[in-house]
Amino acid sequence: MKTTVKMTFSRRGFIRTSALASGGLLIGFNFLTACKEEVQPPVDIANLNFNDFNAYIQIADNGYVTIFSPNPEIGQGVKTAMPMLVAEELDVPWDHVFVKQAGLDTDKYRGQVAGGSQSIRQNWAVLRQTGATAKQMLINAAAAKWKINADEVTATGGIITSPSGEKLGYGDVVKEAAALEVPENVVLKEPKDFKIIGKDTLNVDLDNIVTGKPLYGLDYKKEGMTYVSVLRPPAFGMKLKDFSDVDSRAVTGVYDVIQFGDKIAVLGKNTWAAMKGKKALKANWQNDALESTEMHDKILLDLLISKKGEIRREDGDVDKAFAEADQIIERIYESPFLPHNCMEPMNFYADVTEEKIHLAGPIQTPEGTAAQVAKLLEREPEEVVLELTRMGGGFGRRLYGDFVLEAAEISNKAKKPIKLIYSREDDMTAGIFRPAIKYKISASLKDGKITGYKLKEAAINSNMYGLIPHFFPAGAIANLRIESANYQSNITTGAWRAPYTNFLAFAEQSFFDEVAESLNQDAVQLRLDLLDNVVDGADERIQYSASRMKEVIKVAADKGNWGSTSEGVYKGFSAYYSHNTHVAEVAEIRMQNGVPKVSRVTAAVDCGIVVNPTGANNQVVGGVLDGIGHAMYGDFIFIDGKPSSTNFDTYRLIRMHETPKVDVHFIESERAPTGLGEPGLPPAGGAVANAIKAATGKRLTKQPLLKYLTEAETQLKG
């Protein structure tokens, strides 16, 4: 007898389940509604009479609301979470809300940037006030219609009610309300009264994502546009000498070949023609200054050991603490360059005409990029119109508008609308990379305590992003010196997910574990003891909160069963503050055929009020997996200015069967939200490295961890 069951899937569960299907899977129904009974089709808003209420809100005459999301969406969930803030204070049912992506508009919006995990934090008050203001104006309009005092009127769920029980929908008074004076003061809800904030909410784009609707930059099309592929110098430090485009122009579908600077653009009927035409180009390059990873290693070590750097912070008498120490521990930690590897390669649409510059595509910094385009083409900023699309990953790469500038320059020269598309090889070899970095960390120990601490950074182009000197352990150790030095390279580097801290957290958290071992102390207790030395607010330079950090440490240790043992399970701990958020993680690994496999990670997170628990959980899980994957496998070197890997066949990413279970525990809070897209990543590498030490006895100081674990074992056997 067969039993029929109704299945429901989370996004993660759906991916895992479909991956098990032997012959693939074709979904022929609306995934979001297929498991629900009596589902009504969504309201067709195309013909509704919408009234612009303010820059963020449109209200239709039937009470349905469109809320504009101003910030770029790169998968961090702001297109859902930001409208939730407006809807909460507007007090409208979420199922009556439609969300649209706003384009660049410097008059209506501020801070239209996706970077640094700051979108919700910086707009928390603004968006709530926007919703509350609109609600108050609707109340005022209803009160005027009823000829009563507005204080006597209430509004909830999109319905306004008078003391006598009369009711009006928002749509009934929206025209009158939009004409009223904007109130100077509005009352915001207390967290206990939230109906939308703090509730699990599906991503507003999920239906379109799952069913393949156009959302992303690569989906963007305009009638008459030409596709473009660009040949760039094959190595950093090379410049174009000359080229022949005879074979390229002979390719079917190739329309034109245009040189701009040291680059050559091939314009074609479609991406296939443009990319095939690019491959047919014959170019000669001249070398300027070719750099290699081997060269960088020597330079950075020299900076670290022999050269004096810039002092970023100095407390107490560090030299005296080290001179009087019973023991000194010193280690050097090393990390490679890393590409961003967004799932969606760089792309952008540009149509430069005498009237305007029309741009559209995935960019994290629309305002700054639009200004750069205007400057490049010697036009007024007001002439630039920029539409935002959803992004298939950003991780900092799309903070930089180099590919937008390319698109605009090509369109300007070609005098036609074009769509620039990077191949995966273009994306990996002509990118903005995480800089290679080395840290030297030293601690002086006396009478069983840490008396002094020195951290020195040597990095490629680190003056752009360098370390932050006022994070932990600043304030926790009386004698402390933070120092940095950098080498200016012609390899383009920039922000990579959780800049400043993505590797520094690994180095410091690995180091503190080693200190704890030397002092015969529990690793968690060592951190708590150090934090006991910090009084929140006593040093205004310190950016983290000792009390909040201690809480996440205790919760992670408790939920991760720190101190308990299970056969074959080895644990590592790490805690870090970044992007205004405190995170602690316990990683568990098991050895499989001599190779460590991360089986579980327990994370405790204090990010203030959690706006959308579903989205927040996804962000932390994604950050943890990203941190583990790159710490264990990410390796990228340059040989004579040329990247060693050009595609995923030679660049190692974490695979599905290598991803652990991640349990996330948010600290309940009524504080304003802080960052979440990045803070889960920094502690992950350190927690895994500390677990590997517990399992193998090998203390790894270089990433990728598996590469150097193998080297350590080979040397041991040799």
Side-chain angles (χ1 to χ4, degrees):
M1 178 177 178
K2 293 183 178 180
T3 301
T4 302
V5 297
K6 183 186 294 186
M7 300 297 294
T8 58
F9 299 93
S10 67
R11 173 68 171 155
R12 183 177 174 84
F14 172 73
I15 290 172
R16 286 180 176 273
T17 304
S18 63
L20 298 177
S22 59
L25 188 64
L26 177 64
I27 303 299
F29 50 78
N30 182 324
F31 174 68
L32 295 182
T33 60
C35 298
K36 301 176 184 177
E37 297 178 359
E38 300 177 357
V39 172
Q40 298 298 317
V43 174
D44 181 2
I45 65 171
N47 298 315
L48 291 183
N49 180 24
F50 275 98
N51 291 276
D52 287 328
F53 203 81
N54 56 39
Y56 296 92
I57 303 169
Q58 287 181 337
I59 301 179
D61 53 11
N62 69 347
Y64 277 76
V65 178
T66 293
I67 299 177
F68 290 87
S69 181
N71 283 32
E73 172 61 61
I74 51 177
Q76 81 281 44
V78 296
K79 191 175 176 183
T80 303
M82 295 178 83
M84 287 174 68
L85 305 183
V86 177
E88 179 66 74
E89 296 293 348
L90 180 59
D91 219 325
V92 62
W94 184 248
D95 59 2
H96 286 194
V97 171
F98 302 95
V99 176
K100 288 186 178 180
Q101 176 67 61
L104 174 64
D105 193 323
T106 55
D107 292 329
K108 290 182 177 179
Y109 310 112
R110 69 174 194 182
Q112 286 183 275
V113 174
S117 299
Q118 298 300 303
S119 293
I120 294 297
R121 176 175 176 262
Q122 293 185 351
N123 289 283
W124 168 251
V126 172
L127 293 177
R128 291 179 65 205
Q129 289 167 9
T130 296
T133 300
K135 176 183 174 182
Q136 187 61 53
M137 292 170 71
L138 291 162
I139 288 174
N140 292 348
K145 181 173 284 193
W146 287 323
K147 296 182 172 55
I148 59 176
N149 194 308
D151 291 342
E152 302 176 62
V153 178
T154 60
T156 183
I159 302 296
I160 307 167
T161 306
S162 72
S164 63
E166 288 185 88
K167 296 183 184 298
L168 288 170
Y170 283 178
D172 297 327
V173 294
V174 63
K175 292 179 182 178
E176 294 88 341
L180 294 178
E181 290 283 332
V182 177
E184 292 185 8
N185 299 300
V186 293
V187 177
L188 299 181
K189 290 183 179 180
E190 295 295 324
K192 64 180 177 61
D193 298 322
F194 288 160
K195 300 172 185 174
I196 296 174
I197 294 173
K199 303 298 187 295
D200 288 324
T201 305
L202 286 176
N203 187 308
V204 295
D205 282 338
L206 189 56
D207 192 15
N208 289 333
I209 292 171
V210 173
T211 56
K213 300 293 193 308
L215 281 173
Y216 297 92
L218 283 174
D219 299 324
Y220 191 91
K221 292 180 176 65
K222 282 286 185 180
E223 187 72 28
M225 76 179 189
T226 297
Y227 292 85
V228 175
S229 185
V230 172
L231 180 67
R232 301 171 183 83
F236 290 91
M238 282 188 174
K239 293 185 177 180
L240 182 64
K241 187 177 181 181
D242 54 51
F243 71 98
S244 170
D245 60 10
V246 174
D247 292 343
S248 181
R249 290 180 181 275
V251 173
T252 301
V254 168
Y255 295 151
D256 202 357
V257 177
I258 298 173
Q259 179 185 352
F260 63 112
D262 289 311
K263 306 170 186 177
I264 309 165
V266 178
L267 286 67
K269 181 179 180 180
N270 47 47
T271 53
W272 173 252
M275 290 181 178
K276 191 174 180 181
K278 181 182 73 172
K279 290 182 179 179
L281 287 169
K282 291 180 172 61
N284 295 309
W285 309 90
Q286 60 187 33
N287 298 340
D288 186 4
L290 303 181
E291 300 179 2
S292 298
T293 294
E294 184 178 358
M295 164 191 163
H296 293 145
D297 283 341
K298 293 177 181 178
I299 290 172
L300 294 182
L301 280 173
D302 184 55
L303 286 172
L304 208 58
I305 297 170
S306 305
K307 299 293 192 296
K308 185 175 179 60
E310 176 190 355
I311 303 297
R312 306 288 298 280
R313 178 176 177 131
E314 184 153 16
D315 298 340
D317 192 333
V318 177
D319 294 333
K320 181 180 179 183
F322 275 78
E324 296 176 351
D326 298 330
Q327 181 186 359
I328 293 174
I329 299 176
E330 186 170 281
R331 294 290 179 268
I332 291 177
Y333 299 87
E334 305 174 58
S335 70
F337 286 93
L338 286 180
H340 291 84
N341 284 327
C342 305
M343 184 62 72
E344 177 191 23
M346 301 305 107
N347 65 89
F348 228 79
Y349 170 85
D351 184 13
V352 180
T353 65
E354 292 184 1
E355 292 76 28
K356 68 177 181 179
I357 301 169
H358 181 195
L359 305 171
I363 184 70
Q364 292 178 242
T365 50
E367 182 177 353
T369 299
Q372 289 182 58
V373 169
K375 182 178 181 181
L376 173 71
L377 301 182
E378 298 181 342
R379 302 280 289 268
E380 294 299 319
E382 295 76 20
E383 297 179 70
V384 180
V385 177
L386 196 155
E387 294 181 60
L388 293 172
T389 64
R390 190 179 180 93
M391 291 174 250
F395 314 116
R397 174 62 181 95
R398 287 187 162 99
L399 290 170
Y400 307 95
D402 52 300
F403 52 97
V404 185
L405 295 173
E406 288 180 343
E409 188 171 0
I410 295 166
S411 175
N412 188 50
K413 286 180 176 292
K415 305 303 179 186
K416 62 177 63 177
I418 66 99
K419 177 69 172 290
L420 171 67
I421 297 179
Y422 279 42
S423 66
R424 176 59 59 192
E425 289 79 5
D426 293 334
D427 212 49
M428 288 188 71
T429 59
I432 309 288
F433 304 95
R434 185 188 81 168
I437 297 178
K438 298 186 191 299
Y439 293 110
K440 182 173 73 172
I441 307 180
S442 312
S444 59
L445 312 180
K446 187 174 180 62
D447 299 330
K449 294 184 178 181
I450 305 174
T451 58
Y453 184 85
K454 292 190 290 188
L455 167 64
K456 185 175 181 182
E457 173 195 68
I460 303 295
N461 302 335
S462 70
N463 62 317
M464 296 171 64
Y465 296 99
L467 53 81
I468 300 177
H470 307 303
F471 284 4
F472 180 82
I477 300 172
N479 305 296
L480 174 141
R481 180 184 296 147
I482 309 293
E483 188 178 356
S484 64
N486 78 91
Y487 166 72
Q488 288 299 115
S489 169
N490 57 24
I491 295 173
T492 52
T493 62
W496 188 93
R497 192 173 187 175
Y500 310 102
T501 59
N502 52 59
F503 180 70
L504 178 58
F506 159 82
E508 289 191 307
Q509 292 299 301
S510 297
F511 185 77
F512 280 116
D513 255 44
E514 190 164 358
V515 170
E517 185 178 359
S518 180
L519 293 174
N520 196 29
Q521 292 183 13
D522 175 74
V524 169
Q525 192 59 50
L526 173 74
R527 291 165 172 82
L528 292 173
D529 290 345
L530 286 171
L531 288 165
D532 282 341
N533 298 328
V534 184
V535 177
D536 287 345
D539 182 344
E540 63 182 15
R541 297 173 299 170
I542 292 175
Q543 298 179 34
Y544 66 93
S545 163
S547 58
R548 296 175 78 173
M549 181 65 83
K550 283 192 287 188
E551 186 170 11
V552 295
I553 287 174
K554 291 175 181 177
V555 170
D558 175 53
K559 300 296 185 181
N561 297 314
W562 182 258
S564 68
T565 57
S566 300
E567 186 176 355
V569 178
Y570 304 91
K571 297 180 181 180
F573 186 85
S574 180
Y576 215 75
Y577 165 88
S578 67
H579 300 88
N580 312 101
T581 293
H582 303 77
V583 181
E585 296 174 9
V586 176
E588 299 178 10
I589 69 166
R590 296 174 181 269
M591 301 299 293
Q592 295 184 353
N593 300 319
V595 177
K597 182 183 187 303
V598 185
S599 57
R600 181 172 179 249
V601 174
T602 302
V605 180
D606 184 347
C607 60
I609 291 172
V610 178
V611 176
N612 180 5
T614 295
N617 187 80
N618 291 341
Q619 284 299 293
V620 177
V621 171
V624 170
L625 298 182
D626 202 10
I628 292 171
H630 284 92
M632 294 187 75
Y633 311 111
D635 197 13
F636 200 77
I637 65 173
F638 287 86
I639 301 173
D640 293 331
K642 187 178 294 187
S644 58
S645 299
T646 62
N647 211 316
F648 293 141
D649 59 336
T650 54
Y651 183 77
R652 180 80 156 85
L653 290 168
I654 192 169
R655 294 163 184 162
M656 286 293 291
H657 72 274
E658 294 164 337
T659 59
K661 175 178 172 55
V662 181
D663 298 321
V664 183
H665 303 273
F666 292 103
I667 305 299
E668 290 191 15
S669 175
E670 292 191 356
R671 295 185 175 97
T674 53
L676 204 53
E678 294 163 288
L681 185 147
V688 171
N690 291 333
I692 289 175
K693 170 59 169 63
T696 67
K698 299 177 179 66
R699 172 62 64 186
L700 300 176
T701 59
K702 299 180 181 180
Q703 290 184 4
L705 298 175
L706 286 194
K707 173 182 177 179
Y708 292 107
L709 178 62
T710 302
E711 284 189 8
E713 290 174 342
T714 301
Q715 292 172 2
L716 196 63
K717 291 176 182 177

